[in-house]
């Protein structure tokens, strides 16, 4: 089973929520990817259906891929959070148990996606594309590779850059590059 993770673009002004629209460059990138991803089964986080269609995929909402809850930070800019709650912001960037804005910790996110990963591993599908926000994909990668949650802070997930995970019947592995 091959699982291809694709991060949806985040808002430029509100980094704690998905972008409402994609830029022209992002639309072009999605269309370029559609040739490689077309025909795959697709699992989508709520709010990523338009991206799925741009990728030539049929959206299939998956609650486990839902966006990380950033609590009262959700509608704030990073500068606003830094000005009003600098200690919490600092803690959130280094403690996987920290709850940004009172929301969901990275550790919680990992626990949420683990059962979904187990379902994917047992799936009869040959290839599944999963679309979600970068923080959720951090949780997926940390869980899939059995990394300590703190390792999630070292993962820089770029929008529309596929990440390939492969399950061999026993464990998940990461395959860098384009293993097609």
């Amino acid at each position: 089973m091959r699982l291809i993770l694709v991060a949806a673009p985040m808002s430029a002004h509100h980094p704690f929520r998905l972008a409402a629209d994609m830029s022209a460059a992002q639309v072009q990138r999605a269309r370029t990817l559609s040739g490689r991803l077309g025909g795959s089964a697709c699992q989508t986080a709520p709010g990523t259906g338009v991206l799925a269609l741009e990728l030539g995929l049929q959206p299939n909402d998956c609650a486990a891929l839902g966006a990380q809850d950033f609590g009262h930070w959700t509608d704030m800019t990073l500068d606003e959070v830094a000005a009003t709650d600098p200690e919490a912001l600092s803690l959130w960037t280094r403690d996987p148990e920290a709850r940004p804005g009172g929301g969901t910790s990275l550790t919680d996110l990992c626990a949420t996606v683990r059962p979904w990963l187990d379902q994917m591993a047992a799936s009869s599908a040959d290839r599944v594309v999963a679309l979600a926000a970068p923080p959720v994909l951090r949780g997926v990668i940390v869980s899939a590779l059995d990394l300590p949650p703190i390792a999630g802070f070292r993962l820089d997930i770029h929008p529309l850059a596929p990440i390939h995970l492969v399950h061999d019947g026993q464990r998940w592995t990461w395959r860098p590059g384009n293993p097609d």
Side-chain angles (χ1 to χ4, degrees):
M1 140 52 84
R2 186 168 22 163
L3 181 60
I4 304 169
L5 308 175
V6 179
M10 299 298 283
S11 170
H13 301 293
H14 298 284
F16 304 111
R17 61 161 70 159
L18 291 172
D21 298 305
M22 291 193 297
S23 69
Q26 289 168 333
V27 169
Q28 182 57 42
R29 174 73 178 136
R31 290 181 180 156
T32 300
L33 282 175
S34 69
R36 292 191 321 200
L37 302 178
S40 300
C42 184
Q43 297 276 309
T44 52
T48 62
V50 171
L51 174 59
L53 295 173
E54 288 291 347
L55 291 169
L57 304 170
Q58 183 62 44
N60 180 16
D61 278 352
C62 175
L65 295 176
Q68 182 177 6
D69 178 10
F70 287 99
H72 65 271
W73 290 3
T74 301
D75 294 322
M76 298 173 75
T77 66
L78 203 52
D79 288 342
E80 290 169 338
V81 173
T84 60
D85 206 356
E87 289 178 28
L89 180 60
S90 176
L91 183 64
W92 172 62
T93 62
R94 53 189 163 77
D95 180 358
E97 296 289 332
R99 298 179 180 284
T104 310
S105 72
L106 179 58
T107 302
D108 292 341
L109 213 63
C110 292
T112 298
V113 299
R114 175 54 88 183
W116 175 78
L117 272 168
D118 294 342
Q119 288 177 341
M120 290 295 99
S123 170
S124 61
D126 182 47
R127 180 170 80 166
V128 173
V129 176
L131 308 176
V136 174
L137 296 185
R138 278 186 198 97
V140 170
I141 295 166
V142 164
S143 295
L145 301 179
D146 295 319
L147 300 172
I150 199 158
F153 296 123
R154 303 274 178 118
L155 300 175
D156 191 10
I157 311 292
H158 291 270
L160 303 172
I163 300 163
H164 298 260
L165 298 176
V166 178
H167 196 273
D168 65 4
Q170 295 179 17
R171 67 188 166 274
W172 290 100
T173 55
W174 168 56
R175 292 217 179 136
N178 183 12
D180 290 337

